[in-house]
């Protein structure tokens, strides 16, 4: 066999031979002749070790000893000759066919599904050859009878992985050479006709291509003759050109640069070209992202328009893991739009906006929390944002900064600063600070060590709730610090509840209680009739004022259950359960706040109304009059139990809620001289068929009114010749639902397991995001819904409707008016074909009698590319057409056409 022996890999003799070749040997195999048959013997060689002792007998032993004379054991350091062709680490191998050993050449070859592991190298192929003399490892593929490739070599070393037709690798220098190589670095797939590995992380490639398409024959790629790849860092090339569907595009770039490393990196942010009749030609989103440290980075973006307008956005973000994170956005907008009124050519408006969000990890300081969510700026800032129709209709700006501390769940302190801004009226309300202090219920008569059943008086609990607020209001057009100080007012509310938990009396739960409340005010308002102006004047007196009230209550509640299960055995309905929770309480409240009420003439006819000195203050007025009566309420719940047609086990039995809640609340005051019965509040909640959410409520006034709408002390059912339950003074109803088809995966493999979801979650890209990043992504999705079309769901429809009305007193006190609001939101999408999807969303305001915002999109699925068309109408009307790769790495490599029009009538 010419110095080769073919044996099956399961025999132990092979293990002995390969151990001799792959491990450290004491003597070189070339010094000893070996016969070429398994029955041969080694030639005898004389022993060269001298038999006589060469250590002089009179010499002192030089072995090291300790203080007791005991010899210290040491490793022998005599020189050992290492064979030049030995390997520096053992090899683990496997093959399903055979292993061939070439002793003279020092080679080992494995056949069919061969696998070799050495240190951090894993090599798999159909045929692997190890040349121990040259420390070279080779891998080859093969073909089956049909010509298909089998056993394609695969090479893995740490984070480096590749497949190739042929692989040559030096185990000592870590250098290698491959042919027809495929490798993936992040989102980039790379193929090269020839590739050379010059170090652990550096490669050179000849006639290569880059792409983010994962197909063997990609839809697009970038071709270059020479390239260099630094693993998990970057890839650079010489002259490069794109290629689509195998057709070269005659657009050449002098070089190519592809970042491969994950994480944050400084760099330019590509803009988007747009055109607008009012703003001119523009570049939107041009900017720069700078990483300043591991905990701090900054983004600068700008929008530039040919008519001279521009917008600047500076967004610094910061984060310290396990402690806190946050972001701030400073925006300045100089809008210069073409005028349509003819008085001047352009209209210029300068606006600004500041937003800041900050969150603290709850584990950083147990018992303490701090958060901030600030959004403040010019009232007209949102109106001049051209590429966000959602923000155009946001007329409220709100801010909140809050700090809280808890002491062992006994005491709790909360300090907040709030800001509210109405962009329509220009009114700005500042609440700072608002302080809340709470003492949890403590039981003064409870023993420190509870032995046996506690006494009834030991369950007497006392608590405290205190809220202090300071408020200032001003219009942005009249802003000055002097006016801000003049409108400032403060107030405080204190409440001391006393509760007693009594044992239940059968099905009845009894709970007595006492409550004392006191409010502090910094001013009071006095209304008086002006005979000269024939109007009501309001006078504000500043000072320190207080008002108190006290109440006593004894409440009883229970639950009543009813079940109807007389259904046929063939019926899917098994039973219907009805639960009623009645509640009644006896209450008494003395009239401690009588001094705060007065009567004032409000019109020339002599009509008078009662007012409270503290209406419109922060703490608010307390209720008037004595109350000695009952409060009552009834809540209902309706559920149904159904059985499945196919599943006869317990898992096939399900409970469905028919009515989540339906009831009413009211009270009756025996001590009042008029209007003893209060208004009745009625509510309803349900989720029909687990699809339709319904919430409704109304207020029923049981008393009749005069011609001006003012109440008369006559119950509706006491009128002669008429019977009624009363008047509905306010009401609301909201209905929302969502219908969508099953996803394609559900149709293909219902009950096949959850592997797909797990794979998505484990891809490493679902890292935690800051609140600012979430808001930015949500805004991008709203502006470009076509780019996020889900072709996996063939169709979906979302509908929501809201309606509310209320009767309120007119400003001139002449009567009442009804304020009505009604709107509907519609959104939906469906697949025209498996690759085309169309969708639309709109908001219709019935009071405004028109569509307030319309967004429509058309999307085309192209595997690794996507075509999206977005059309929107609102304050800004426009469209954008985008063709771009799906890969986030090549997001800026897109063809975009945007055009929008600003509607100045808003």
């Amino acid at each position: 066999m010419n110095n080769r022996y073919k044996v099956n890999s399961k025999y132990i003799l092979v293990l002995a031979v390969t151990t001799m070749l792959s491990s450290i040997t004491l003597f070189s195999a070339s010094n000893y002749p070996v016969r070429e048959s398994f029955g041969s013997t080694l030639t005898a060689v004389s022993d060269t070790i001298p038999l006589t002792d060469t250590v002089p007998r009179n010499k002192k032993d030089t072995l090291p000893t300790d203080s007791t004379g005991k010899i210290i054991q040491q490793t022998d350091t005599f020189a050992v000759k290492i064979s030049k062709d030995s390997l520096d680490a053992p090899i683990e191998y496997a093959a399903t066919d055979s292993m061939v050993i070439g002793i003279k050449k020092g080679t080992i070859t494995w056949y069919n599904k061969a696998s070799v592991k050495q240190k951090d190298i894993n090599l798999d192929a159909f045929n692997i050859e190890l040349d121990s003399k040259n420390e070279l490892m080779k891998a080859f593929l093969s073909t089956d009878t049909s010509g298909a490739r089998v056993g394609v070599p695969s090479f893995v070393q740490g984070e480096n992985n590749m497949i190739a037709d042929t692989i040559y690798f030096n185990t000592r220098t870590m250098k290698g050479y491959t042919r027809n190589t495929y490798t993936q670095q992040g989102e980039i797939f790379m193929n090269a006709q020839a590739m050379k590995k010059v170090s652990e992380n550096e490669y050179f490639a000849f006639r290569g291509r880059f792409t983010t398409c994962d197909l063997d024959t990609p839809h697009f790629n970038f071709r270059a003759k020479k390239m260099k790849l630094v693993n998990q860092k970057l890839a650079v090339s010489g002259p490069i050109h794109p290629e689509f569907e195998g057709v070269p595009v005659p657009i050449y770039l002098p070089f190519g640069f592809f970042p491969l490393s994950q994480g944050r990196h400084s760099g330019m942010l590509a803009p988007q070209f747009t055109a607008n009749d009012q703003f001119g030609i523009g570049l939107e989103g041009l900017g720069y992202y700078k990483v300043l440290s591991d905990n701090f980075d900054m983004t600068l973006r700008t929008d530039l328009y040919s008519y001279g307008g521009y917008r600047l956005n500076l967004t610094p973000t910061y984060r310290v893991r396990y402690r806190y994170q946050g972001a701030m956005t400073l925006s300045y907008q100089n809008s210069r739009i073409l005028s349509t009124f003819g008085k001047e050519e352009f209209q210029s408006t300068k606006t600004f906006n500041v937003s800041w969000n900050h969150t603290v990890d709850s584990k950083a300081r147990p018992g303490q929390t701090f958060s901030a969510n600030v959004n403040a700026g010019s009232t007209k800032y949102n109106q001049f944002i051209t590429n966000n129709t959602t923000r155009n209709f946001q007329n409220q700006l709100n801010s909140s900064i809050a700090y809280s501390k808890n002491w062992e769940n006994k005491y709790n302190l909360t300090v907040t600063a709030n800001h509210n801004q109405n962009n329509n009226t220009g009114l700005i309300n500042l609440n700072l600070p608002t302080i809340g202090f709470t003492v949890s219920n403590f039981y003064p008569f409870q023993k420190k060590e509870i032995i046996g059943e506690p006494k009834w008086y030991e369950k007497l609990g006392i608590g405290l709730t205190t809220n202090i607020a300071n408020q200032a209001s001003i219009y942005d057009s009249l802003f000055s610090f002097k006016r801000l100080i003049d409108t400032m007012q403060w107030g405080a509310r204190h409440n001391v509840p006393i509760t007693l938990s009594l044992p239940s009396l059968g099905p009845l739960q009894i709970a007595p209680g006492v409550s004392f409340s006191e409010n502090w005010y910094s001013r009071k308002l006095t209304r008086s009739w002006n005979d000269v102006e024939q109007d009501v004047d309001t006078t504000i007196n500043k000072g320190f004022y207080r008002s108190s009230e006290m109440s006593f209550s004894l409440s009883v509640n229970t639950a009543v259950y009813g079940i109807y299960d007389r259904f046929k055995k063939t019926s899917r309905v098994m039973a219907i359960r009805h639960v009623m929770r009645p509640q009644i309480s006896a209450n008494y409240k003395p009239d401690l706040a009588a001094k705060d009420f007065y009567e004032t003439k409000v019109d020339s006819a002599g009509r008078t109304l009662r007012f409270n000195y503290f209406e419109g203050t922060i703490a608010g007025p307390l209720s008037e009059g004595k109350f000695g009566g009952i409060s009552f309420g009834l809540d209902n719940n309706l559920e149904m139990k159904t059985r499945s047609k196919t599943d006869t086990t317990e898992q096939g039995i399900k409970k469905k809620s028919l009515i989540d809640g339906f009831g009413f609340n009211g009270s009756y005051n025996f001590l009042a001289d008029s209007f003893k019965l209060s208004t009745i509040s009625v509510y309803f909640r349900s989720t029909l068929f687990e699809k339709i959410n319904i919430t409704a409520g109304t207020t029923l006034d049981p008393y009749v009114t005069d011609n001006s709408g003012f109440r008369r002390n006559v119950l509706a059912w006491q009128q002669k010749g008429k019977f009624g339950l009363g008047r509905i003074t306010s009401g609301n109803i909201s209905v929302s639902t969502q219908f969508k088809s099953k996803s394609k995966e559900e149709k293909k493999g219902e009950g096949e397991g959850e592997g797909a979801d797990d794979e998505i979650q484990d891809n490493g890209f679902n890292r935690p995001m800051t609140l600012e990043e979430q808001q930015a992504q949500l805004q991008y999705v709203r502006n470009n819904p076509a780019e996020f079309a889900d072709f996996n769901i063939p169709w979906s429809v979302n509908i929501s409707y809201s309606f509310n009305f209320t009767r309120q007193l007119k400003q001139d006190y002449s009567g009442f008016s009804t304020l009505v609001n009604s709107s509907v939101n519609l959104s939906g999408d469906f697949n025209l074909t498996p690759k085309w999807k169309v969708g639309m969303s709109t908001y219709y305001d019935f009071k405004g009698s028109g569509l307030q915002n319309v967004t429509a999109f058309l999307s085309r699925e192209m595997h690794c590319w996507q075509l999206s068309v977005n059309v929107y109408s609102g304050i800004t009307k426009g469209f954008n057409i985008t063709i771009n790769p799906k890969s986030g790495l090549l997001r800026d490599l897109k063809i975009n056409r945007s055009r929008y029009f600003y509607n100045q009538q808003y």
Side-chain angles (χ1 to χ4, degrees), residues 144-161:
D144 58 15
T145 56
S146 63
R149 303 192 313 168
V150 294
V152 178
S154 172
F155 178 86
V156 178
Q157 183 183 23
E159 296 182 350
N160 303 336
N161 61 85

Side-chain angles (χ1 to χ4, degrees), residues 35-47:
R35 296 193 178 182
E36 299 177 1
S37 64
F38 280 101
S40 63
T41 58
L42 297 175
T43 303
V45 180
S46 59
D47 194 350

Side-chain angles (χ1 to χ4, degrees), residues 336-340 342-347:
R336 183 177 170 85
I337 63 177
L338 191 65
S339 177
T340 58
K343 295 181 180 180
E344 51 186 10
E345 184 178 5
F346 294 99
Q347 292 180 350

